[in-house]
Amino acid sequence: MCGIVAYIGPRKAHEVIIKGLKRLEYRGYDSAGIALLNGSLNIYKKKGRVSDLENTLEDEKLASRVGIGHTRWATHGEPNDENAHPHYSFSKNLAIIHNGIIENYSSLKQELLNKGYSFKSETDSEVFIQFIEDIQVNNDCSLEEAVRLALTKVVGAYAIVIMSKDDPNMLIAARKGSPLVIGIGKDEFFLASDATPIIEYTNEVVYLNDYEIAIIDNNELRLKNTQDVASTPYIQTLDMELEAIEKGGYEHFMLKEIFEQPRSISDCMRGRLNANKGRLVLGGIREYANKLVNADRIIIVACGTSWHAGLVAEYFFEEFCRVPVEVEYASEFRYRNPIIKEGDVMIAISQSGETADTLAAIELAKSKGAIIFGVCNVVGSSIARVSHEGAYTHAGPEIGVASTKAFTAQLTVLSMIALRVAHKKGTITERRYHELLVEMENIPSKVEKALELDAQIKLVAERFKDAKNFLYLGRGYNFPVALEGALKLKEISYIHAEGYPAAEMKHGPIALIDEEMPVVFIATRDSSYDKVVSNIQEVKARKGKVIAVVTEGDALIPKMAEFVIEVPKTDEALMPMVSVIPLQLLSYYIAVMRDCNVDQPRNLAKSVTVE
Ligand code: M6R
């Protein structure tokens, strides 16, 4: 959680930082702040959005060529002006921005209180900077050394940047567990939680590794680790266009990302799948490919939408690869002493590649000898880096907090992995394999067609925008789609929604159904179609309002449902990539009609880097 940006160089630091923070608001948006060296070390911070902060800044007073900024998602202390970052040290000579959590902050704080320090905020981050200053004073050492010593004593996760009143030419940064990228321009440096605030200035970046400290001093970048061992910065070239992180004429990032899906799914398959030639290549899975093929079982870990993609993958792998699959919430898996043996195979799915619970589940499995395959969207992210091998989803930056194009790209990658494994194992016939390859290539155009339902879905949204509850029901491959539809609605419109396997309804949720209850059925033509039709009748009999997503040409369900949304026909195993589209649009339009902040829903953040 939290976004951090820092700048040092010839530009006006506050302009670079404010612009960067706006790009990082998806990581947290309950307060924002900036520290600048203009005469003295000044901090400007405020509860609310980055634009609220920006409105209070008077440009002419801000001339500074160095600065640090932060947009917060509260962990310690409520969102208010005091708890907003940056934080001063006790003497006000230093300022810090911090993304992460210092777990031993209360004992450190007590130590400092005993020495006479006092605190303005309730945050662990203020303790962190006072602790650094205390070390510097007591050891009479450089700031660089004080930071290093402090990092050997703090427990937890951090990406930090520190600036000093006494040294306008220096920034010190460090990371463990929370991401930090350094952009290298001509005579200037940019630091940020991800590359989006950086790419308009430079595409040369260094991703900081855990336990690394970066010292930018007099226009030079040095790296060392917390054990004081220096290393050479590994400069990478970013492959990202500025337009990919802008709204491109859409009212919200979420809508743009929903409409990008035909392209993002194609991008995900490009160079990997060629049905004509019967070719399916995943360049990121080579050395360990046989581990997947020979696995006795596959453990999938993920959170939220990525977990839903994992559930679809469970159906896919079990059907075509004939291997048992366990799909685990990463947060539960890591704390329940799971049975993992040497050589077990884990697939970790994460859009951001930074989700703390998923990372911890990976570390646990790795420590017991499991082989990890990462399915991530963000290139160079922590999960991508700690995995043995994997495949990127290549969906492009996803900025809207509600995940959409990442989900369909995850399904694309997971289907490709499963088909590759099934083909190698011989658990799929040649005919079926080719059928599925061909059909996968058709998915982008089918998604394109599903997006044409936009106007029709607005009508459904208009009719149900004031509902208090929603039920989403589906079976088989469409059950995880029901979960995903419910999650999308909850997170951006704040309407309570539940997803269930349609047949489970009669074991409890049916009690909720009355004439007020909208029930969304994902009832496409597949092996459970007849059974889902019976479930629709059960809902109708109790006067529930049925909204049905059906396969085009369905003649039966339109006679029962209040609203019918027809999606193009595709293979049952690939249907989630198409049937989820109307549900994404429905949640989007309901949220817009309810005046909700679609891209930055309350209490949420795009990447959950705290457990
Ligand atoms: O970045 P990740 O895929 O690991 O994130 C997992 C969840 O936090 C994420 O999917 C979350 O549930 C989204 N807000 C869903 O739209």
Side-chain angles (χ1 to χ4, degrees):
M1 298 309 177
C2 305
I4 63 180
V5 186
Y7 175 77
I8 187 161
R11 299 171 202 263
K12 287 184 179 167
H14 73 283
E15 288 180 357
V16 176
I17 292 169
I18 292 287
K19 202 168 185 187
L21 289 179
K22 286 183 177 169
R23 297 222 170 108
L24 291 182
E25 264 193 316
Y26 72 87
R27 299 177 65 87
Y29 34 83
D30 58 46
S31 54
I34 185 166
L36 300 167
L37 260 178
N38 38 12
S40 51
L41 177 54
N42 289 310
I43 290 180
Y44 311 84
K45 56 185 185 175
K46 201 170 169 39
K47 179 180 173 182
R49 308 269 154 158
V50 176
S51 54
D52 298 325
L53 170 74
E54 188 181 21
N55 292 338
T56 65
L57 300 175
E58 291 164 62
D59 198 60
E60 67 278 9
K61 290 196 191 147
L62 297 175
S64 175
R65 306 290 159 190
V66 57
I68 58 179
H70 188 275
T71 178
R72 178 169 187 251
W73 186 86
T75 54
H76 292 75
E78 65 171 281
N80 59 27
D81 292 358
E82 285 72 38
N83 289 332
H85 295 218
H87 292 285
Y88 281 123
S89 63
F90 191 68
S91 69
K92 294 197 168 179
N93 279 344
L94 307 175
I96 191 171
I97 46 173
H98 170 216
N99 168 207
I101 288 188
I102 300 307
E103 288 164 16
N104 59 339
Y105 89 103
S106 46
S107 58
L108 295 176
K109 187 171 184 174
Q110 194 51 55
E111 239 175 72
L112 293 166
L113 284 168
N114 295 344
K115 289 182 178 178
Y117 285 81
S118 62
F119 296 87
K120 300 243 172 325
S121 77
E122 301 151 88
T123 65
D124 51 342
S125 316
E126 190 188 7
V127 174
F128 204 167
I129 191 65
Q130 302 227 30
F131 181 53
I132 290 170
E133 182 163 82
D134 184 59
I135 291 179
Q136 189 181 10
V137 172
N138 286 337
N139 294 282
D140 192 20
C141 61
S142 66
L143 178 59
E144 177 181 330
E145 180 61 1
V147 171
R148 189 188 73 75
L149 291 172
L151 295 181
T152 61
K153 304 235 163 51
V154 295
V155 178
Y158 54 79
I160 52 168
V161 187
I162 294 167
M163 63 189 284
S164 161
K165 187 177 109 191
D166 298 330
D167 210 333
N169 298 318
M170 185 172 73
L171 286 174
I172 298 182
R175 98 156 244 180
K176 189 199 144 211
S178 302
L180 195 57
V181 190
I182 304 173
I184 303 173
K186 188 172 171 338
D187 301 329
E188 59 186 347
F189 293 88
F190 307 80
L191 298 96
S193 300
D194 72 26
T196 56
I198 296 175
I199 53 167
E200 71 182 275
Y201 308 106
T202 175
N203 62 358
E204 303 229 304
V205 296
V206 173
Y207 289 94
L208 216 58
N209 290 311
D210 277 352
Y211 302 105
E212 267 181 347
I213 305 170
I215 304 105
I216 298 166
D217 193 7
N218 282 311
N219 211 10
E220 197 193 317
L221 169 66
R222 282 184 291 116
L223 295 187
K224 59 158 75 166
N225 65 16
T226 50
Q227 299 309 310
D228 216 7
V229 179
S231 60
T232 310
Y234 170 54
I235 301 174
Q236 303 187 40
T237 304
L238 277 178
D239 179 19
M240 197 193 273
E241 300 295 329
L242 186 57
E243 69 165 25
I245 56 160
E246 291 183 333
K247 282 192 199 148
Y250 285 89
E251 202 185 330
H252 296 101
F253 281 112
M254 181 180 179
L255 191 62
K256 175 184 173 232
E257 287 155 9
I258 291 173
F259 274 86
E260 271 173 359
Q261 288 175 103
R263 201 187 70 203
S264 52
I265 297 171
S266 299
D267 287 348
C268 181
M269 292 189 285
R270 181 163 306 117
R272 292 168 160 174
L273 191 155
N274 185 325
N276 248 342
K277 297 188 175 146
R279 208 181 62 205
L280 185 50
V281 192
L282 288 162
I285 303 180
R286 284 176 183 279
E287 202 184 320
Y288 293 91
N290 279 336
K291 297 276 180 197
L292 264 172
V293 174
N294 300 324
D296 301 335
R297 63 167 182 163
I298 294 175
I299 305 163
I300 297 182
V301 291
C303 303
T305 289
S306 300
W307 185 77
H308 298 156
L311 283 183
V312 176
E314 176 182 21
Y315 284 82
F316 208 104
F317 271 92
E318 292 200 342
E319 178 172 357
F320 299 111
C321 309
R322 307 307 301 148
V323 59
V325 175
E326 291 158 32
V327 188
E328 305 270 0
Y329 282 119
S331 52
E332 287 299 310
F333 180 81
R334 60 183 291 198
Y335 284 119
R336 68 167 173 70
N337 198 6
I339 299 160
I340 308 162
K341 47 183 188 5
E342 183 84 29
D344 263 349
V345 165
M346 172 179 272
I347 300 180
I349 311 168
S350 174
Q351 187 287 128
S352 60
E354 301 295 345
T355 300
D357 285 320
T358 310
L359 259 170
I362 293 174
E363 298 296 359
L364 173 68
K366 250 179 124 174
S367 70
K368 300 195 174 196
I371 305 298
I372 318 294
F373 295 88
V375 174
C376 298
N377 193 39
V378 177
V379 176
S381 56
S382 302
I383 292 176
R385 289 192 293 158
V386 298
S387 299
H388 291 93
E389 288 197 325
Y392 283 116
T393 47
H394 294 310
E398 190 181 68
I399 314 276
V401 165
S403 191
T404 53
K405 64 175 180 171
F407 177 68
T408 47
Q410 287 165 346
L411 296 183
T412 310
V413 163
L414 292 162
S415 308
M416 288 192 289
I417 298 177
L419 283 175
R420 186 95 193 84
V421 171
H423 195 237
K424 270 250 170 323
K425 278 178 88 167
T427 46
I428 188 169
T429 62
E430 280 298 320
R431 195 166 139 257
R432 190 79 180 100
Y433 177 69
H434 282 279
E435 250 173 37
L436 282 163
L437 291 192
V438 169
E439 197 45 26
M440 281 194 71
E441 280 188 342
N442 291 332
I443 292 293
S445 63
K446 296 193 174 177
V447 169
E448 187 95 61
K449 245 185 130 207
L451 289 167
E452 288 167 15
L453 296 163
D454 192 52
Q456 194 192 336
I457 289 165
K458 270 189 201 155
L459 297 177
V460 184
E462 186 59 55
R463 163 75 177 81
F464 293 107
K465 66 178 193 309
D466 298 317
K468 300 264 178 298
N469 298 288
F470 261 77
L471 261 186
Y472 284 74
L473 302 175
R475 294 191 75 156
Y477 284 94
N478 278 328
F479 157 54
V481 177
L483 296 180
E484 177 60 7
L487 176 62
K488 286 293 86 93
L489 188 71
K490 276 187 273 218
E491 65 182 335
I492 61 168
S493 73
Y494 318 139
I495 296 176
H496 171 249
E498 297 276 355
Y500 261 93
E504 267 297 298
M505 177 184 63
K506 56 185 168 300
H507 299 286
I510 198 163
L512 295 169
I513 294 172
D514 60 14
E515 59 281 3
E516 304 287 320
M517 175 67 93
V519 185
V520 179
F521 275 94
I522 304 100
T524 50
R525 273 261 171 217
D526 58 25
S527 46
S528 13
Y529 177 80
D530 293 337
K531 305 213 180 295
V532 176
V533 168
S534 306
N535 299 138
I536 293 179
Q537 271 158 346
E538 288 157 11
V539 169
K540 285 294 295 172
R542 285 152 186 91
K543 298 196 167 49
K545 301 288 176 274
V546 173
I547 304 151
V549 176
V550 301
T551 311
E552 60 192 358
D554 189 309
L556 184 58
I557 297 179
K559 292 185 192 136
M560 304 177 211
E562 185 158 338
F563 281 96
V564 163
I565 298 162
E566 290 194 2
V567 294
K569 186 173 181 318
T570 182
D571 197 285
E572 173 171 0
L574 303 174
M575 185 48 100
M577 290 189 238
V578 180
S579 57
V580 75
I581 304 294
L583 307 188
Q584 296 171 342
L585 286 169
L586 181 64
S587 62
Y588 172 78
Y589 285 117
I590 290 181
V592 169
M593 287 171 193
R594 290 166 69 95
D595 247 348
C596 296
N597 188 334
V598 171
D599 284 333
Q600 292 159 355
R602 70 184 179 206
N603 305 337
L604 287 174
K606 181 73 181 160
S607 82
V608 184
T609 56
V610 293
E611 68 167 287

